């Protein structure tokens, strides 16, 4: 029996380079080795988008197209929509009964996100509690491994605590999962902020056209101490070099450029031009693949319906064990 992977994304927009290096490339690599489930977390998207739910439908389709264009094979990977599996909400509720508010307030991920969004005392119940919902997502699919970016580590840790607590209370029913961090745990944004993120508006999307990539790279934040061509740079702290080191497959060029920046022989404009070429080379096959799906939303919907049905069956199986362990399986057939 293959071990399981559960991972997912919030359908709050198209996927970007950060998703690719943080989690998506691992999902592609491991799709044949593990039984893989990808959950499109539309309920979790509502934690910040409850006032504009009309975008979710299209964003679910966009995210699915991004998966397929990066090489996720829908014949082996099960792609499900969170809100269409009501068992997830049921398990979230059971977990909520023994998860303390203090532990949720302490969670470094939600704490940082709430500060960024300036929620203060007006934090929503659903936002504060989203680690509980994520724990239910992972546990219901009986996943062993969760490929995520570094920002998600505290959430996986909280999932492990919740699962341990459940198992201590009711018996060993659920699996304690492990996080798997991608090749780059946290990709910096084009504006130099610590994380590329959809909601921070500092992303290069996997579906951006070559001219958009060129424009975004031209406007990228660079080492602020390097103002003139001859100034010595600090490439290891500069997003342009960081991206080049990840996405430029010509290691020789990356090393030469780094040396030339360190000694002040290379200006940022030339460096950015090289990066734009490298990124476009990296993204071109993904864009080409995406074209195949762009005109066929029915094909995407069919994949989602099929995946969600299978996901729901699996969730149903786990819930039978959960209810039995909790001794609340009364009056059922
Ligand atoms: P939002 O701003 O709407 O929260 P996001 O860009 O943070 O969007 P998510 O859908 O929250 O994206 O994250 C999906 C997965 O991608 C998570 O595993 C997350 O850790 C990973 N991820 C997102 N951004 C990055 C990044 N910049 N570097 C590495 N991994 C990332
Ligand atoms: Mg996020």
């Amino acid at each position: 029996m293959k071990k399981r992977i559960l991972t997912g994304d919030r359908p709050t927009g198209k996927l970007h380079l950060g998703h690719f290096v943080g989690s998506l490339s691992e999902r592609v690599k491991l799709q044949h080795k593990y039984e893989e489930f990808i959950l499109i977390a539309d309920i979790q998207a509502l934690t910040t988008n409850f006032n504009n739910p009309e975008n979710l439908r299209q964003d679910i389709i966009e995210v699915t197209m991004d998966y397929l264009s990066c090489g996720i094979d829908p014949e082996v990977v099960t792609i499900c929509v969170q809100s269409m599996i009501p068992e997830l909400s049921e398990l979230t509720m059971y977990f909520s009964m023994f998860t303390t508010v203090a532990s949720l307030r302490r969670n470094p991920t939600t704490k940082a996100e709430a500060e960024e969004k300036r929620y203060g005392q007006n934090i929503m119940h659903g936002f504060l509690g989203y680690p509980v919902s994520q724990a239910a997502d992972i546990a219901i699919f009986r996943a062993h491994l969760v490929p995520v970016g570094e920002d998600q580590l505290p959430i996986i840790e909280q999932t492990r605590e919740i699962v341990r607590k459940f198992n201590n209370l009711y018996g060993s029913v659920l699996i304690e999962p492990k996080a798997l961090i991608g090749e780059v745990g946290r990709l910096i944004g084009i504006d130099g902020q610590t994380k590329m993120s959809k909601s921070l508006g500092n992303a290069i999307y996997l579906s951006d056209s070559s001219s958009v990539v060129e424009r975004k790279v031209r406007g990228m934040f660079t080492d602020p101490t390097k103002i003139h061509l001859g100034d010595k740079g600090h490439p290891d702290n500069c997003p342009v070099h960081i991206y080049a080191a990840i996405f430029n497959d010509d290691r020789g060029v990356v090393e030469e450029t780094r040396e030339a920046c360190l000694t002040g022989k290379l200006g940022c404009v030339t460096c950015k031009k090289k990066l734009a070429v490298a990124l476009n080379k990296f993204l071109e096959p993904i864009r080409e693949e995406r074209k195949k799906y762009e005109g066929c939303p029915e094909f995407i919907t069919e994949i989602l319906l099929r995946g969600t049905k299978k996901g729901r069956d699996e969730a149903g199986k786990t819930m039978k064990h959960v209810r039995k362990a909790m001794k609340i399986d009364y009056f059922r057939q």
Side-chain angles (χ1 to χ4, degrees):
M1 275 264 285
K2 282 182 182 171
K3 286 194 170 177
R4 279 203 184 156
I5 280 183
L6 181 279
T7 179
D9 305 277
R10 304 186 336 131
T12 47
K14 297 175 179 180
L15 299 185
H16 52 65
L17 293 173
H19 294 115
F20 188 88
V21 292
S23 168
L24 201 43
S25 65
E26 293 301 322
R27 303 179 200 178
V28 175
K29 266 185 239 156
L30 298 175
Q31 62 184 336
H32 295 289
K33 194 166 166 212
Y34 284 78
E35 189 183 358
E36 193 164 299
F37 290 79
I38 300 184
L39 190 70
I40 305 190
D42 58 337
I43 299 184
Q44 198 180 316
L46 286 170
T47 58
T48 52
N49 290 56
F50 57 86
N51 48 356
N52 52 331
E54 62 281 2
N55 296 335
L56 286 174
R57 183 195 165 92
Q58 187 55 31
D59 283 338
I60 291 171
I61 297 200
E62 298 289 350
V63 167
T64 312
M65 289 197 289
D66 284 329
Y67 294 152
L68 304 186
S69 24
C70 287
I72 292 288
D73 178 355
E75 295 304 317
V76 293
V77 174
T78 308
I79 307 175
C80 331
V81 180
Q82 190 182 32
S83 66
M84 292 166 75
I85 305 182
E87 288 79 2
L88 288 171
S89 302
E90 185 187 353
L91 187 57
T92 303
M93 213 39 155
Y94 299 157
F95 283 173
S96 298
M97 301 306 159
F98 59 77
T99 306
T100 66
V101 172
S103 72
L104 291 167
R105 285 200 198 281
R106 269 197 311 269
N107 187 304
T109 307
T110 40
K111 203 169 161 184
E113 286 176 356
E115 274 165 21
E116 189 186 291
K117 292 174 174 45
R118 298 176 199 282
Y119 284 153
Q121 287 301 311
N122 294 323
I123 191 163
M124 301 319 153
H125 173 206
F127 183 90
L128 184 69
Y130 93 67
V132 185
S133 149
Q134 219 166 303
D137 299 340
I138 298 166
I140 219 163
F141 287 102
R142 305 187 293 283
H144 297 87
L145 203 61
V146 192
V148 280
E150 213 175 78
D151 63 303
Q152 291 293 311
L153 274 181
I155 308 263
I156 309 301
E157 201 39 55
Q158 186 145 26
T159 298
R160 290 165 58 83
E161 280 164 25
I162 290 175
V163 164
R164 274 201 297 272
K165 184 116 183 225
F166 181 98
N167 287 345
N168 283 337
L169 283 166
Y170 307 115
S172 275
V173 170
L174 301 175
I175 291 170
E176 213 177 302
K178 285 199 176 72
L180 174 74
I181 302 293
E183 54 176 310
V184 180
R186 183 186 299 254
L187 186 70
I188 191 168
I190 54 174
D191 56 356
Q193 288 202 66
T194 51
K195 183 178 168 257
M196 178 180 283
S197 163
K198 283 170 275 177
S199 44
L200 295 175
N202 60 2
I204 293 179
Y205 293 95
L206 298 170
S207 49
D208 276 346
S209 69
S210 55
S211 57
V212 168
V213 171
E214 280 162 22
R215 178 173 52 74
K216 286 187 177 171
V217 171
R218 261 200 311 277
M220 268 177 84
F221 174 88
T222 48
D223 175 2
T225 62
K226 183 168 166 56
I227 300 161
H228 302 107
L229 173 65
D231 295 343
K232 291 181 181 169
H234 303 86
D236 298 333
N237 298 323
C238 172
V240 178
H241 174 73
I242 294 173
Y243 287 11
I246 300 167
F247 297 104
N248 192 337
D249 56 6
D250 190 335
R251 310 317 300 167
V253 168
V254 176
E255 220 14 71
E256 268 167 38
T257 318
R258 182 174 177 277
E259 282 302 313
C261 172
L262 278 171
T263 51
K265 285 191 202 119
L266 184 77
C268 299
V269 175
T270 319
C271 200
K272 284 177 169 177
K273 280 189 183 145
K274 288 186 190 190
L275 175 64
V277 171
L279 282 179
N280 276 326
K281 186 172 167 208
F282 171 79
L283 290 173
E284 196 46 33
I286 299 177
R287 286 194 286 250
E288 272 306 301
E289 189 63 18
R290 205 176 202 276
K291 280 190 199 145
K292 289 189 196 161
Y293 311 109
E294 272 168 350
C296 356
E298 323 71 48
F299 176 71
I300 302 294
T301 330
E302 196 263 321
I303 289 172
L304 292 172
L305 286 174
R306 187 158 40 95
T308 304
K309 184 178 177 313
K310 181 170 169 205
R312 195 164 178 203
D313 288 347
E314 287 306 319
K317 285 183 205 162
T318 307
M319 287 314 290
K320 275 199 176 147
H321 295 298
V322 163
R323 292 187 207 107
K324 186 159 187 264
M326 293 176 72
K327 302 191 174 38
I328 54 169
D329 57 341
Y330 27 70
F331 316 129
R332 288 179 188 260
Q333 293 294 317

